[in-house]
């Protein structure tokens, strides 16, 4: 079984650990927080950061990568130097990632629209909308390696990247599966729309982490300059509460029709502290679940405190 530990989620910094609860090993998605907060929230979650076997970068914006170098250096001091999977375009577009690549094992991450080889996904009938991952890098080991059939293996998990739509050099979400029992987590943040790859990858998961960034009315009336409001609301910006709720309702309906799993826990991600409210984001997703007849637990990922979904 898998657990999701959201260490931080929001415009000031993002980081999340996916833990394989059977082994205690895990992977880190993004690291835009300081080492102190990273270590403190790992400790609060009961997760040993020395068990991180790989790190994955959604995209190069500072709130997702600014803490990566210092955290990697801290892990290296305790003898853990996990590989980092990031798109080359992101590394080239970020001084923080470029510095990490000079000192650590950074491997190329891409996603292309193709049938994934993961048996669990193939059985789910996602078809050609599912991505194939292509990863290149020296020194791949038995603990963390690229599989030739559509996913990356690490910590007893299959990590499957899919394309998102954001104003970055490249951007990804991830589907994470337990290689032993098929448990699955869908993780999507920082996307202005739901891409076809994302929609396919987010079906048939037990835990769904889904961006619910802003309330359109609050954004329109809020303090941001007009150009920033336009960026946030654009197809390469961030999902609103309503967009997240619509996608959630569709995912539930399609999964039920196909005989797939329905989510048991939904986590609202990247909730804006200026253009949204945690309770509003949660209530909007709860309403969508209620209309779809799915009574999953609804949580929020917070900027300054831990959220765990098991």
């Amino acid at each position: 079984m898998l657990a999701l530990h959201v260490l931080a989620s929001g415009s000031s910094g993002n980081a999340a650990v996916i833990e394989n609860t059977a082994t205690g090993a895990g992977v880190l998605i993004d690291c835009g927080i300081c080492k102190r907060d990273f270590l403190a929230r790992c400790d609060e979650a009961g997760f040993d950061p020395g068990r991180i076997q790989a790190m994955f970068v959604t995209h190069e914006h500072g709130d997702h990568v600014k803490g990566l170098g210092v955290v990697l250096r801290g892990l290296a001091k305790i003898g853990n130097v996990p590989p980092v999977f990031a798109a080359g375009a992101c590394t080239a577009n970020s001084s923080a990632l470029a510095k990490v690549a000079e000192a650590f094992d950074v491997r190329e991450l891409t996603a292309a629209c193709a049938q994934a080889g993961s048996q669990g996904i193939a059985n789910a009938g996602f078809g050609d909308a599912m991505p194939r991952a292509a990863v290149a890098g020296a020194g791949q080991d038995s603990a963390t390696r690229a599989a030739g059939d559509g996913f990356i293996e690490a910590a007893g998990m299959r990590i499957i990247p899919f394309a998102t739509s954001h104003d970055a050099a490249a951007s990804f979400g991830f589907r994470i599966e337990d290689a032993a029992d098929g448990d699955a987590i869908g993780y999507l943040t920082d996307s202005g729309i739901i891409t076809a790859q994302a929609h396919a990858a987010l079906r048939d998961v037990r835990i769904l982490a889904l961006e619910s960034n802003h309330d359109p009315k609050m954004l329109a009336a809020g303090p941001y300059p007009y150009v920033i409001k336009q960026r946030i609301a654009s197809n390469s910006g961030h999902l609103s509460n309503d967009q997240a709720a619509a996608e959630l309702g569709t995912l539930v309906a399609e999964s039920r029709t196909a005989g797939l799993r329905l989510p048991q826990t939904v986590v609202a991600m990247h909730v804006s502290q200026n253009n949204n409210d945690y309770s509003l984001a949660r209530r909007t997703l709860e309403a969508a679940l209620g209309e779809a007849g799915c009574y999953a637990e609804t949580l929020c990922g917070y900027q300054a405190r831990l959220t765990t979904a098991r």
Side-chain angles (χ1 to χ4, degrees):
M1 297 290 285
L2 303 177
L4 169 66
H5 305 296
V6 181
L7 309 184
S9 184
S11 59
S12 295
N14 297 269
V17 169
I18 311 295
E19 179 184 5
N20 182 332
T21 60
T23 66
V27 300
L28 177 66
I29 299 178
D30 289 335
C31 192
I33 58 176
C34 67
K35 185 175 71 172
R36 181 193 64 242
D37 289 344
F38 170 79
L39 292 174
R41 290 175 199 160
C42 281
D43 183 64
E44 183 181 353
F47 176 78
D48 176 5
R51 303 299 307 281
I52 291 174
Q53 293 189 4
M55 297 182 175
F56 294 85
V57 174
T58 59
H59 64 292
E60 78 275 15
H61 290 167
D63 56 322
H64 294 260
V65 302
K66 64 188 177 185
L68 186 58
V70 68
V71 166
L72 277 167
R73 290 191 291 274
L75 292 180
K77 290 180 179 179
I78 61 172
N80 183 25
V81 188
V84 178
F85 292 88
C90 291
T91 302
N93 201 43
S94 165
S95 60
L97 280 177
K99 290 178 181 178
V100 167
E102 291 174 358
F104 296 97
D105 179 12
V106 177
R107 305 177 187 178
E108 176 70 12
L109 173 67
T110 64
C113 191
Q115 178 79 24
S118 165
Q119 189 61 37
I121 295 177
N123 289 342
F126 292 135
D128 290 340
M130 282 304 301
R132 177 178 298 276
V135 184
Q140 292 172 1
D141 53 39
S142 60
T144 305
R145 59 190 175 87
D149 52 0
F151 53 87
I152 300 155
E153 290 183 343
M157 296 179 273
R158 295 182 286 257
I159 299 90
I160 305 158
F162 55 82
T164 61
S165 177
H166 196 53
D167 55 354
S171 60
F172 301 94
F174 299 96
R175 177 186 177 91
I176 304 97
E177 298 178 341
D178 188 319
D181 63 17
D183 192 24
I185 291 175
Y187 189 96
L188 182 146
T189 184
D190 292 74
S191 191
I193 58 172
I194 302 290
T195 66
Q197 290 185 23
H199 180 71
L202 296 177
R203 293 197 301 176
D204 192 35
V205 299
R206 185 177 61 86
I207 298 172
L208 176 61
L210 181 63
E211 176 170 63
S212 193
N213 174 258
H214 62 277
D215 172 75
K217 292 181 179 178
M218 291 179 68
L219 176 65
Y224 288 177
Y226 177 76
V227 65
I228 301 299
K229 293 179 181 181
Q230 290 295 101
R231 169 192 171 270
I232 292 170
S234 74
N235 285 351
S236 57
H238 294 273
L239 293 175
S240 70
N241 295 342
D242 294 339
Q243 286 174 298
E247 172 64 10
L248 181 56
T250 301
L251 286 170
V252 168
E254 291 183 0
S255 294
R256 180 181 286 117
T257 298
L260 306 175
R261 281 173 295 199
L262 303 185
Q264 294 180 11
T265 304
V266 179
V267 185
M269 300 290 289
H270 215 292
V271 177
S272 172
Q273 294 179 289
N274 294 307
N275 303 302
N276 207 351
D277 178 85
Y278 290 117
S279 62
L280 176 59
R282 188 175 62 250
R283 290 198 310 270
T284 304
L285 295 182
E286 286 175 346
L289 287 166
E291 290 176 6
C294 175
Y295 300 98
E297 177 185 29
T298 308
L299 306 172
C300 286
Y302 292 93
Q303 184 63 86
R305 71 175 194 256
L306 172 73
T307 296
T308 290
R310 298 185 184 275

